[in-house]
Amino acid sequence: MPDKKNFYERVYEVARQIPYGRVTSYGAIARAIGAAKSARMVGFALKNSPNDVPAHRVLNRNGVLTGKHHFPGTDLMQQLLENEGLQVIHDQVQDFEKFFWDPQTDS
DNA sequence: TGAGTGACTGTAA
DNA sequence: CTTACAGCCACTC
Protein backbone atom coordinates (compact mmCIF):
# COMPACT_ATOMS: atom_id res chain seq x y z
CA MET A 1 0.00 0.00 0.00
CA PRO A 2 3.01 2.29 0.03
CA ASP A 3 2.30 2.47 -3.70
CA LYS A 4 -0.79 4.47 -2.89
CA LYS A 5 1.38 7.03 -1.23
CA ASN A 6 3.52 7.10 -4.36
CA PHE A 7 0.44 8.07 -6.30
CA TYR A 8 1.02 11.74 -5.60
CA GLU A 9 4.73 11.49 -6.21
CA ARG A 10 4.13 9.68 -9.47
CA VAL A 11 1.80 12.42 -10.62
CA TYR A 12 4.36 15.04 -9.73
CA GLU A 13 7.08 13.07 -11.46
CA VAL A 14 5.16 12.82 -14.71
CA ALA A 15 4.00 16.44 -14.53
CA ARG A 16 7.59 17.52 -14.06
CA GLN A 17 8.51 15.69 -17.27
CA ILE A 18 6.17 17.84 -19.32
CA PRO A 19 8.34 19.76 -21.79
CA TYR A 20 8.16 23.53 -22.08
CA GLY A 21 5.45 24.78 -24.38
CA ARG A 22 3.65 21.46 -24.22
CA VAL A 23 0.51 20.27 -22.43
CA THR A 24 -1.07 17.00 -21.43
CA SER A 25 -4.29 15.65 -19.95
CA TYR A 26 -5.10 14.23 -16.55
CA GLY A 27 -6.04 10.90 -18.09
CA ALA A 28 -2.67 10.68 -19.84
CA ILE A 29 -0.85 11.14 -16.55
CA ALA A 30 -3.21 8.78 -14.78
CA ARG A 31 -2.43 6.13 -17.36
CA ALA A 32 1.28 6.81 -17.15
CA ILE A 33 1.22 6.09 -13.43
CA GLY A 34 -1.05 3.09 -13.84
CA ALA A 35 -4.23 4.68 -12.50
CA ALA A 36 -6.20 5.38 -15.64
CA LYS A 37 -9.44 5.43 -13.68
CA SER A 38 -8.13 7.91 -11.16
CA ALA A 39 -7.82 10.83 -13.53
CA ARG A 40 -9.85 12.87 -11.07
CA MET A 41 -7.39 12.17 -8.32
CA VAL A 42 -4.62 13.41 -10.58
CA GLY A 43 -6.21 16.82 -10.49
CA PHE A 44 -6.52 16.57 -6.74
CA ALA A 45 -2.85 15.71 -6.50
CA LEU A 46 -1.93 18.67 -8.67
CA LYS A 47 -3.86 20.86 -6.30
CA ASN A 48 -1.43 19.74 -3.63
CA SER A 49 1.41 19.83 -6.15
CA PRO A 50 4.66 21.51 -5.04
CA ASN A 51 5.81 24.67 -6.76
CA ASP A 52 8.27 22.74 -8.93
CA VAL A 53 5.38 21.02 -10.71
CA PRO A 54 3.97 22.87 -13.74
CA ALA A 55 0.34 22.08 -13.02
CA HIS A 56 -0.69 24.75 -15.50
CA ARG A 57 0.46 22.45 -18.29
CA VAL A 58 -2.10 19.85 -17.30
CA LEU A 59 -5.57 20.25 -18.78
CA ASN A 60 -8.53 18.01 -19.36
CA ARG A 61 -8.73 15.85 -22.47
CA ASN A 62 -10.63 18.62 -24.22
CA GLY A 63 -7.78 21.08 -23.85
CA VAL A 64 -9.79 23.29 -21.51
CA LEU A 65 -8.29 25.01 -18.49
CA THR A 66 -10.61 23.26 -16.08
CA GLY A 67 -8.44 24.08 -13.09
CA LYS A 68 -7.82 27.67 -13.99
CA HIS A 69 -10.20 28.67 -11.24
CA HIS A 70 -8.09 26.85 -8.71
CA PHE A 71 -5.03 28.89 -9.52
CA PRO A 72 -4.20 32.04 -7.58
CA GLY A 73 -5.31 35.21 -9.28
CA THR A 74 -7.82 34.95 -12.11
CA ASP A 75 -5.96 34.15 -15.33
CA LEU A 76 -2.63 33.00 -13.98
CA MET A 77 -2.90 29.59 -15.59
CA GLN A 78 -3.82 31.07 -18.93
CA GLN A 79 -1.09 33.65 -18.65
CA LEU A 80 1.47 30.94 -17.93
CA LEU A 81 0.39 28.91 -20.95
CA GLU A 82 0.43 31.94 -23.19
CA ASN A 83 3.84 32.76 -21.79
CA GLU A 84 5.01 29.38 -23.04
CA GLY A 85 3.92 30.25 -26.55
CA LEU A 86 0.54 28.52 -26.41
CA GLN A 87 -2.58 30.17 -27.74
CA VAL A 88 -5.33 30.18 -25.14
CA ILE A 89 -8.75 31.53 -26.02
CA HIS A 90 -11.85 31.34 -23.85
CA ASP A 91 -9.99 29.09 -21.38
CA GLN A 92 -9.28 26.76 -24.25
CA VAL A 93 -5.93 25.82 -25.78
CA GLN A 94 -5.90 26.24 -29.54
CA ASP A 95 -4.45 23.28 -31.47
CA PHE A 96 -4.46 21.31 -28.26
CA GLU A 97 -3.81 18.07 -30.14
CA LYS A 98 -0.81 19.67 -31.73
CA PHE A 99 0.72 20.72 -28.40
CA PHE A 100 -0.43 17.61 -26.60
CA TRP A 101 2.38 15.63 -25.02
CA ASP A 102 1.99 11.98 -24.09
CA PRO A 103 4.03 10.99 -20.99
CA GLN A 104 4.20 7.43 -22.22
CA THR A 105 5.45 8.45 -25.62
CA ASP A 106 7.86 10.89 -24.05
CA SER A 107 8.38 12.54 -27.41
C1' DT B 1 -16.08 3.37 9.96
C1' DG B 2 -19.14 5.56 6.54
C1' DA B 3 -20.65 8.90 3.22
C1' DG B 4 -19.65 12.74 0.04
C1' DT B 5 -16.92 15.03 -3.33
C1' DG B 6 -13.86 16.05 -7.29
C1' DA B 7 -8.47 20.33 -11.77
C1' DC B 8 -11.96 13.57 -15.49
C1' DT B 9 -13.11 10.19 -19.16
C1' DG B 10 -15.74 7.36 -22.09
C1' DT B 11 -19.98 5.97 -24.04
C1' DA B 12 -24.83 6.83 -25.28
C1' DA B 13 -28.57 9.64 -27.39
C1' DC C 1 -21.44 16.54 -35.19
C1' DT C 2 -22.84 18.16 -30.13
C1' DT C 3 -24.91 17.42 -25.54
C1' DA C 4 -25.98 14.47 -21.55
C1' DC C 5 -25.37 10.54 -18.12
C1' DA C 6 -22.88 7.31 -15.36
C1' DG C 7 -18.59 5.22 -13.53
C1' DC C 8 -14.41 5.24 -11.40
C1' DC C 9 -10.52 5.80 -7.63
C1' DA C 10 -8.44 8.26 -3.89
C1' DC C 11 -8.99 11.72 -0.33
C1' DT C 12 -11.39 14.63 3.29
C1' DC C 13 -15.00 15.42 6.98
Side-chain angles (χ1 to χ4, degrees):
Chain A
M1 69 160 261
D3 286 9
K4 300 251 188 118
K5 191 188 161 200
N6 284 340
F7 184 87
Y8 271 54
E9 300 214 4
R10 301 234 184 178
V11 175
Y12 303 149
E13 225 176 307
V14 176
R16 253 179 293 210
Q17 287 167 51
I18 303 175
Y20 180 93
R22 284 282 173 81
V23 290
T24 187
S25 62
Y26 303 95
I29 295 175
R31 274 182 199 241
I33 66 180
K37 320 294 184 114
S38 310
R40 292 170 131 174
M41 255 284 74
V42 175
F44 212 98
L46 288 173
K47 247 167 70 178
N48 283 281
S49 65
N51 38 329
D52 62 309
V53 177
H56 63 269
R57 290 184 193 153
V58 186
L59 323 170
N60 69 348
R61 83 160 199 95
N62 213 11
V64 183
L65 283 53
T66 47
K68 139 177 173 148
H69 240 244
H70 291 254
F71 269 78
T74 4
D75 299 330
L76 177 60
M77 190 175 183
Q78 180 172 334
Q79 293 300 315
L80 287 169
L81 289 170
E82 288 185 338
N83 186 35
E84 301 205 352
L86 291 170
Q87 192 176 17
V88 183
I89 302 176
H90 199 71
D91 300 342
Q92 236 173 252
V93 176
Q94 306 305 298
D95 302 312
F96 172 69
E97 305 178 21
K98 194 168 136 186
F99 289 103
F100 183 82
W101 174 80
D102 191 337
Q104 290 191 316
T105 307
D106 199 315
S107 345

